[in-house]
Amino acid sequence: MDTYAETLKKKNGRKTKRKILMIQKSLNKIQFSETVSKSLCLLNFGHTTNASREKIFKIFEAFGRIQSITIIPNMSFSFVTLAEVCDAELAYNSLQGSEINIGFKQHLYLSYVDQDLTPKC
């Protein structure tokens, strides 16, 4: 019999996969990965879910220097790129599936993204 933690991890995995498929339909150029990278997709926290640069900054500032935050208009997901891969890994391990309070309580689902999403000059 699964423990509560195992059941929750499976549920988080299923939700994460569904959200990745939805985003890939919207943005074909985004390549999600299970390999650790500096860029993370916040799969269920974006423009349509009341995300702001300030809220995302507050969530991730404890994990290291943030290089960029990208919120796509009219979408329910966003991206954050941290300066170091180890910072992104720590954030992912700490936040994946966790409940956050952003004016309301919500579980946060994350995925690594292959490309660096830092805006180019």
Side-chain angles (χ1 to χ4, degrees):
M1 179 176 281
D2 288 344
T3 66
Y4 176 75
E6 290 169 336
T7 302
L8 187 59
K9 187 174 181 176
K10 287 179 185 176
K11 180 181 174 185
N12 289 345
R14 288 191 303 269
K15 284 189 172 197
T16 298
K17 286 179 185 175
R18 279 196 311 268
K19 290 179 184 305
I20 286 171
L21 289 173
M22 179 197 69
I23 293 168
Q24 284 177 324
K25 287 179 184 177
S26 301
L27 298 173
N28 286 339
K29 62 184 175 188
I30 300 297
Q31 296 297 314
F32 293 93
S33 175
E34 293 191 19
T35 304
V36 178
S37 71
K38 296 190 312 183
S39 296
L40 296 168
C41 180
L42 289 68
L43 299 167
N44 62 328
F45 190 51
H47 183 253
T48 61
T49 55
N50 203 26
S52 68
R53 292 178 61 77
E54 293 79 19
K55 288 178 182 176
I56 294 172
F57 185 84
K58 268 189 166 174
I59 294 168
F60 285 90
E61 69 180 332
F63 300 102
R65 189 169 61 81
I66 298 170
Q67 282 188 321
S68 70
I69 295 171
T70 305
I71 299 172
I72 300 172
N74 301 317
M75 294 293 178
S76 61
F77 53 89
S78 56
F79 301 93
V80 63
T81 301
L82 286 96
E84 303 294 332
V85 172
C86 60
D87 295 339
E89 183 177 26
L90 179 60
Y92 180 92
N93 290 336
S94 299
L95 296 172
Q96 172 65 352
S98 68
E99 187 174 84
I100 58 171
N101 188 345
I102 48 172
F104 56 93
K105 290 185 179 180
Q106 171 177 323
H107 288 276
L108 184 63
Y109 299 103
L110 304 170
S111 178
Y112 293 111
V113 180
D114 275 341
Q115 62 265 51
D116 184 355
L117 299 169
T118 305
K120 308 293 184 255
C121 297

